[in-house]
Amino acid sequence: MRQYELVCIVHPDLDESAFNGVVEKVKGWVVETSGTVDKVEVWGRKRLAYAIKKHREGQYVLFNLSLEPTATATMDQNLRFLEPVIRYMITAVE
């Protein structure tokens, strides 16, 4: 298992229950790939440096994950098609 950080920018207009649903869905995908979610930090609503999909703000979430290196491709594919996620970045922690 390797340590990863996943930062997601979620659609700014989601209510709290829909936002929590997105977070739980990502956690579920990690567990499905036999990984673990070590920590979740909600950074809150922040202004973006530039417009992404006509949005000037987004809700930021940081996930600290433990995954197999092959599971990152599955996470990447799942996040790409998750509609409320505007942008995401998976990085390996040294």
Side-chain angles (χ1 to χ4, degrees):
M1 293 271 203
R2 279 188 80 175
Q3 300 293 324
Y4 292 94
E5 285 185 343
L6 167 65
V7 177
C8 294
I9 304 174
V10 181
H11 195 284
D13 297 333
L14 291 180
D15 61 349
E16 190 172 343
S17 64
F19 177 77
N20 289 336
V22 171
V23 171
E24 291 303 317
K25 187 172 280 200
V26 172
K27 284 182 185 179
W29 287 336
V30 171
V31 172
E32 283 178 12
T33 59
S34 68
T36 60
V37 178
D38 301 327
K39 188 166 89 170
V40 177
E41 281 184 46
V42 178
W43 290 348
R45 191 182 191 115
K46 303 222 182 256
R47 184 164 175 80
L48 302 174
Y50 55 90
I52 301 173
K53 297 183 183 177
K54 299 183 182 180
H55 297 291
R56 297 296 295 171
E57 291 185 331
Q59 299 182 62
Y60 283 72
V61 185
L62 169 69
F63 297 90
N64 290 351
L65 311 171
S66 297
L67 288 173
E68 292 295 331
T70 56
T72 57
T74 306
M75 287 296 297
D76 184 53
Q77 183 179 6
N78 289 339
L79 287 166
R80 184 176 294 141
F81 295 112
L82 186 59
E83 189 96 10
V85 175
I86 299 171
R87 279 279 197 280
Y88 64 92
M89 183 171 61
I90 302 172
T91 55
V93 177
E94 298 281 330

